[in-house]
Amino acid sequence: MRFVLVHGACHDGSHFEVTAASLRAKGHEVHCPTIQGNREGDDRRTTRLEDAIASLVAYFDEHAIEDAVLVGHSWGGMVISGAFDRLGAARIRRLVYYGAFVPIDGESLLDLCPPHYRDLFRQLAEPANEIVFPFPIFREAFINDGSLEQAEALHASLNPQPFLTMADPIRLSRDPAAFDCGKSYLHCTEETGLPQSYPFHPRLSERLGLFRLVSMPGSHSTFHTAPELLAQKLVEAGRD
Amino acid sequence: MRFVLVHGACHDGSHFEVTAASLRAKGHEVHCPTIQGNREGDDRRTTRLEDAIASLVAYFDEHAIEDAVLVGHSWGGMVISGAFDRLGAARIRRLVYYGAFVPIDGESLLDLCPPHYRDLFRQLAEPANEIVFPFPIFREAFINDGSLEQAEALHASLNPQPFLTMADPIRLSRDPAAFDCGKSYLHCTEETGLPQSYPFHPRLSERLGLFRLVSMPGSHSTFHTAPELLAQKLVEAGRD
Amino acid sequence: MRFVLVHGACHDGSHFEVTAASLRAKGHEVHCPTIQGNREGDDRRTTRLEDAIASLVAYFDEHAIEDAVLVGHSWGGMVISGAFDRLGAARIRRLVYYGAFVPIDGESLLDLCPPHYRDLFRQLAEPANEIVFPFPIFREAFINDGSLEQAEALHASLNPQPFLTMADPIRLSRDPAAFDCGKSYLHCTEETGLPQSYPFHPRLSERLGLFRLVSMPGSHSTFHTAPELLAQKLVEAGRD
């Protein structure tokens, strides 16, 4: 398979490298692009969601990628949804939402969060119009399955997320349920990046219409705490 | 233990043979009857739910079965509920609902599905008054844990389900919660035969009143994708 | 780490001894106090929730315990909540709710149960103002993952629970979300001590505000059915 792995907010392509190595060892081709707004030197104050999506579309064009399994993690669900809407099923044969947001036209990532998260994100974005999660929240809510050392190392590697990429509504020509490609949702069972009473799955996953559910143990950060198992589950999510 | 394993819609007794072999190897007696309406030569247009139930009651009588652990998978939950109501606790010491429907008097399987499923099933039943699930739906919703090869092999082995056995209301003299036998629910955690927002468990399982929950990883078709683990979990569900 | 493990209703400190031994073998200090009301010779008719909490506070004082990871199982969640409110974060660095009730000021354990449980508990408490769970309920709802032998042995070891410790409202000076210590919830995935449609987690766990979710397979009684795995999960819940 040809995988394109799209990272979440505050992350970059390097965060998928252990998972990618495991997939390559199984014989797959893997791309780990870093999305516009998370690259060194990017202007965090002004990068918009549309810029992020356009950068993934450009990556597909530059590398002439076709027949891809396009995976989006967390915020990356916004990006892969927008990219599929522009690139179509000839370029992307299956979308895999991995603990990811599934938007419909006109929604932002913030719209898909519980109200107290929206308030928190707006506060965190002051004054630089960018977000980094404070360590105590990150450690408990995003990497609850990891050791303190794993949590500290991952947190230290994060980069600030342009707030507009979380606050901008997405523009989509159709609902994700109408995307004419395969669709999978990879759910980690100790996921608490969103509260389990206001969850990613099944609240957002079922917007995909007919989709393949794959699950695995772990938190929002299994690319860091369980990268080999993640690779195996991405194969299960992406095959045929 | 003496197990009687009742298959789901479109299946027959042969689908439980690997699980049955595993149970027999552990020293248990296992019956895998094929229910009326799923046998070669049965008239799919006219077989009713009551015929299906009556055929299981007849199987118990023909084989003089007593003290059974009666397991129903999926649609089989309708059949074992009706059969227990007629046969009683002397013949059946425990009911095990395995990813199965739990009806109350006057409900059909269709009544227990979300509205858009009912519409789909009615369309699929045209014009022959029988149902086979199209492969794309079957592969994603019913065997999401399997390989393409497993999905194709299982789908090729299905037989059309008489629509009336899904549309007929069941007649029960009491609620399942009042059944005076042991009751277990075996839940597969990646079950998406019904949407996880409108699920088998706990929405239907809790109709059993006091019941034993047993769970295992996997889809709606673990008899095909994980038959040995299924056998182990049936023992846990059925013991004492 | 320094663990203090607080048992549930009808149990005593000895029920945690296998888990404690496993934790000690990993180098941890472990206390397994028996709470007032569950000790031999205690007057079950008159022991109140406040007595139970006071006995845990007294245990901390007698043993000069500081920097503890305080774990409460089931009803023990009432006791550790009250004790933290009195002892503070200098003595207790993290609370771990293990299949446990999370009350707010003015609530009793009964208030946190579904209505039909409240009725059942009131009936069971007659005439001696104490509760023991009947074996059929205990076996199916509290140790569904165990063998009959395990269920019988555990049930035989129970002692009657003073009803007032379940019916008394707790007095807390602040909400658990405002407790200024670390907080974890350890969830067993086949937990049916409360119905899964009216569950411990996430219904009660999310009252903790920011908390660390850890989960493991098993029933309400994994201290009996999976004590080594429980020890490992308590380490994951309690570390940092």
Side-chain angles (χ1 to χ4, degrees), chain A residues 36-37 47-49 52 75 78 109 161-168:
Chain A
Q36 177 78 22
T47 305
R48 311 207 64 129
L49 178 58
W75 168 79
M78 303 294 292
L109 179 147
Q161 184 67 24
F163 183 61
L164 292 175
T165 66
M166 302 170 72
D168 279 347

Side-chain angles (χ1 to χ4, degrees), chain A residues 61 73 82 93 96 101 122 133 137 160:
Chain A
D61 288 342
H73 178 235
R93 73 165 175 74
V96 178
F101 291 89
R122 289 186 202 286
F133 291 101
I137 293 176

Side-chain angles (χ1 to χ4, degrees), chain C residues 58-116:
Chain C
Y59 187 93
F60 267 74
D61 288 342
E62 285 158 23
H63 296 78
I65 295 173
E66 302 196 343
D67 198 37
V69 174
L70 177 58
V71 179
H73 177 236
S74 192
W75 168 78
M78 304 294 292
V79 181
I80 67 170
S81 298
F84 178 83
D85 198 37
R86 287 150 185 73
L87 289 165
R91 310 288 293 278
I92 298 162
R93 74 165 176 76
R94 183 173 285 270
L95 292 168
V96 178
Y97 291 81
Y98 157 47
F101 290 90
V102 183
I104 59 175
D105 181 54
E107 287 180 335
S108 68
L109 180 146
L110 293 189
D111 290 331
L112 299 174
C113 293
H116 63 294

Side-chain angles (χ1 to χ4, degrees), chain B residues 201-220:
Chain B
H201 167 74
R203 181 178 64 102
L204 297 179
S205 56
E206 290 185 1
R207 292 173 157 206
L208 295 173
L210 182 66
F211 74 101
R212 183 186 306 170
L213 177 66
V214 174
S215 77
M216 62 179 280
S219 72
H220 196 66

Side-chain angles (χ1 to χ4, degrees), chain B residues 3-8 11-26 28-35 59 63 71 73 98 154 157 221-232 234:
Chain B
F3 285 99
V4 180
L5 309 182
V6 176
H7 59 80
H11 291 71
D12 62 40
S14 72
H15 288 102
F16 272 125
E17 276 306 333
V18 181
T19 302
S22 182
L23 286 167
R24 287 178 192 124
K26 298 177 201 287
H28 304 292
E29 177 183 326
V30 190
H31 298 257
C32 304
T34 295
I35 301 300
Y59 186 93
H63 295 77
V71 178
H73 178 235
Y98 157 47
L154 183 56
S157 75
S221 300
T222 47
F223 61 87
H224 192 73
T225 57
E228 277 84 16
L229 182 58
L230 174 59
Q232 178 190 320
L234 288 175

Side-chain angles (χ1 to χ4, degrees), chain A residues 68-132:
Chain A
V69 174
L70 177 57
V71 178
H73 178 235
S74 194
W75 168 79
M78 303 294 292
V79 181
I80 66 171
S81 298
F84 178 84
D85 198 37
R86 287 148 185 75
L87 289 166
R91 309 288 294 278
I92 298 162
R93 73 165 175 74
R94 182 172 286 270
L95 292 168
V96 178
Y97 291 81
Y98 157 47
F101 291 89
V102 183
I104 60 174
D105 181 53
E107 287 180 334
S108 68
L109 179 147
L110 293 189
D111 290 330
L112 299 175
C113 294
H116 64 293
Y117 274 47
R118 289 200 283 276
D119 295 343
L120 174 68
F121 290 163
R122 289 186 202 286
Q123 288 170 26
L124 292 174
E126 296 296 335
N129 215 29
E130 63 184 26
I131 284 185
V132 175

